[in-house]
Amino acid sequence: MTAPVGSTARTLEVRVWRGKEAGRYQSFEVPRQESQTILDVVTYIQRELDHTLAYRYACRVGMCGSCAMTINGKARWTCRTHVTSVGDRLEIAPLANLPVVKDLVTDMAPFFDKWARAKGHFHATQTRRDGFAAVRPDSPQRLQIDAAIECIGCGVCYSSCDVVHWLPEFLGPAALNRAWTLVNDVRDGARVERLAAVAGDAGCHACHTQMTCTERCPKRLQPTAAIAGLKRASLVVALAGAL
Amino acid sequence: MKVRTQVLLWGAQRYTAMVLVFCVVVHLITIVYATRYGLTAAQILDRTQGNLGWAAFYALFVAAVAVHAAIGMRAILSELLDWRGAALDALLVCGAVGLTLWGWRAVWGVFA
């Protein structure tokens, strides 16, 4: 619901999730400012109306991804979401698909555990004595990496994914996207092991390309493209009998 | 089920999908043709009986459907009912074999 241009409402009706997985929405009335983000609204509530509200933020300028929450049903960065783009009535909840620590704070451990399970880390094959690896910036694989490397692990994609909701063991878009950048890294020494880790029922093959992750990624990444690439790469390795 | 098997099942799903695109288009054309020109059952049988081309086409169609549907239902049932494991896989193999035999029986019915 978008506020009409030149809305004259002086206050916002804000419902904020309180509690853990079991809890309730608490209503607040927040003064409307001319230029106001959802993070401004949550901060106002915590500082002026209810000190017991728990929430996370850090940079407040759209760089760190810490402030991601569910706003009127959609996972977004609260510091980068203007109230005018949502409306006068706000419903603010913690990110979906993650355990709730308190109120708007989620436990990100499962998200990063899956990152590790997808082998989202680099395996070196050379030492400092071997000289620099020559990777052309315009090589096809490096271009694939460039398109996917800017992920800062904010959890918006993971929180938006229906398959994560249906299949708790599904690795999720972020972990798979990161694995894709490493699969394309010609210096990496664990390509086949990584493909084995990300393939199958709990991996890239569970993705139905619903594209909510790509639609909502604040860094405009395309996890669905990365997952499609992983599907292709893993099939080639499986057919070769190497998986 | 081993990861390699899961990946190959996904590959089979993709490849049977390509076969099915072709088969479904041909099948739709034949249906529209048969209804447009008011073919009777006898007239249709006249064209299919003893025709190896049609028999081969529909036999391929049946096989592709059996493989594609079974793999697809595996994903759907696991998401819908939280059901995974050997029992589900065994049920779906039976389903695929059943669909194949039942379908080929129908193809034989219009070929013989």
Side-chain angles (χ1 to χ4, degrees):
Chain A
M1 196 168 69
T2 318
V5 173
S7 169
T8 54
R10 286 207 299 274
T11 61
L12 300 165
E13 295 168 44
V14 187
R15 295 170 74 230
V16 179
W17 183 258
R18 305 304 307 273
K20 295 166 86 78
E21 277 82 359
R24 62 184 178 87
Y25 282 98
Q26 185 180 1
S27 293
F28 298 95
E29 220 171 60
V30 173
R32 193 194 184 91
Q33 314 280 0
E34 188 161 321
S35 187
Q36 189 177 32
T37 64
I38 305 293
L39 183 61
D40 293 334
V41 170
V42 175
T43 302
Y44 178 89
I45 293 171
Q46 195 271 342
R47 289 183 186 177
E48 309 295 336
L49 301 179
D50 187 340
H51 301 297
T52 65
L53 176 65
Y55 72 110
R56 258 200 206 111
Y57 77 101
C59 76
R60 85 252 191 286
V61 291
M63 283 182 61
C64 74
S66 304
C67 67
M69 300 176 204
T70 306
I71 304 159
N72 290 25
K74 288 189 188 178
R76 305 178 72 161
W77 289 353
T78 52
C79 71
R80 280 294 209 193
T81 305
H82 265 252
V83 167
T84 50
S85 72
V86 186
D88 290 344
R89 299 162 81 129
L90 305 174
E91 187 177 271
I92 305 173
L95 281 180
N97 298 338
L98 288 165
V100 181
V101 175
K102 184 190 172 196
D103 303 337
L104 301 170
V105 177
T106 58
D107 179 6
M108 296 291 287
F111 176 81
F112 289 112
D113 284 346
K114 289 182 176 180
W115 199 290
R117 287 221 306 270
K119 296 208 189 301
H121 49 276
F122 179 70
H123 282 252
T125 55
Q126 295 184 307
T127 68
R128 70 189 69 194
R129 284 167 276 280
D130 292 317
F132 289 105
V135 179
R136 288 187 56 88
D138 57 357
S139 69
Q141 287 125 316
R142 184 65 223 184
L143 291 175
Q144 293 283 349
I145 297 173
D146 287 347
I149 199 65
E150 296 292 332
C151 175
I152 55 174
C154 70
V156 164
C157 63
Y158 185 83
S159 176
S160 304
C161 179
D162 279 339
V163 180
V164 170
H165 184 64
W166 298 327
L167 295 176
E169 66 271 27
F170 176 50
L171 292 174
L176 293 169
N177 180 75
R178 179 50 54 94
W180 175 241
T181 64
L182 291 158
V183 162
N184 279 290
D185 192 329
V186 296
R187 307 163 303 160
D188 180 82
R191 190 170 186 273
V192 172
E193 292 90 329
R194 186 172 297 106
L195 284 172
V198 300
D201 294 342
C204 61
H205 295 92
C207 170
H208 292 306
T209 324
Q210 292 171 316
M211 308 248 348
T212 318
C213 57
T214 298
E215 186 189 48
R216 295 207 189 143
C217 175
K219 302 283 284 183
R220 301 211 206 284
L221 304 179
Q222 300 173 72
T224 43
I227 289 168
L230 288 173
K231 286 173 175 173
R232 286 194 302 271
S234 59
L235 183 63
V236 168
V237 172
L239 286 171
L243 205 64
Chain B
M1 187 186 283
K2 287 162 61 175
V3 169
R4 182 164 180 268
T5 312
Q6 293 166 7
V7 176
L8 292 176
L9 280 181
W10 177 86
Q13 185 74 339
R14 279 279 163 108
Y15 289 117
T16 53
M18 293 177 202
V19 170
L20 286 171
V21 166
F22 163 71
C23 288
V24 166
V25 166
V26 169
H27 187 57
L28 282 174
I29 291 170
T30 58
I31 290 174
V32 168
Y33 179 92
T35 50
R36 165 80 176 74
Y37 290 101
L39 293 182
T40 63
Q43 285 170 318
I44 292 171
L45 280 173
D46 218 26
R47 293 158 195 246
T48 61
Q49 277 168 339
N51 188 316
L52 270 174
W54 281 121
F57 169 76
Y58 277 102
L60 173 69
F61 197 172
V62 164
V65 166
V67 170
H68 191 83
I71 301 172
M73 285 310 296
R74 187 171 173 272
I76 289 169
L77 289 172
S78 68
E79 287 174 1
L80 203 61
L81 303 174
D82 214 11
W83 188 13
R84 296 160 193 49
L88 173 65
D89 295 341
L91 177 73
L92 289 166
V93 167
C94 291
V97 169
L99 264 181
T100 309
L101 295 175
W102 201 6
W104 283 349
R105 183 170 170 271
V107 173
W108 182 255
V110 298
F111 170 76

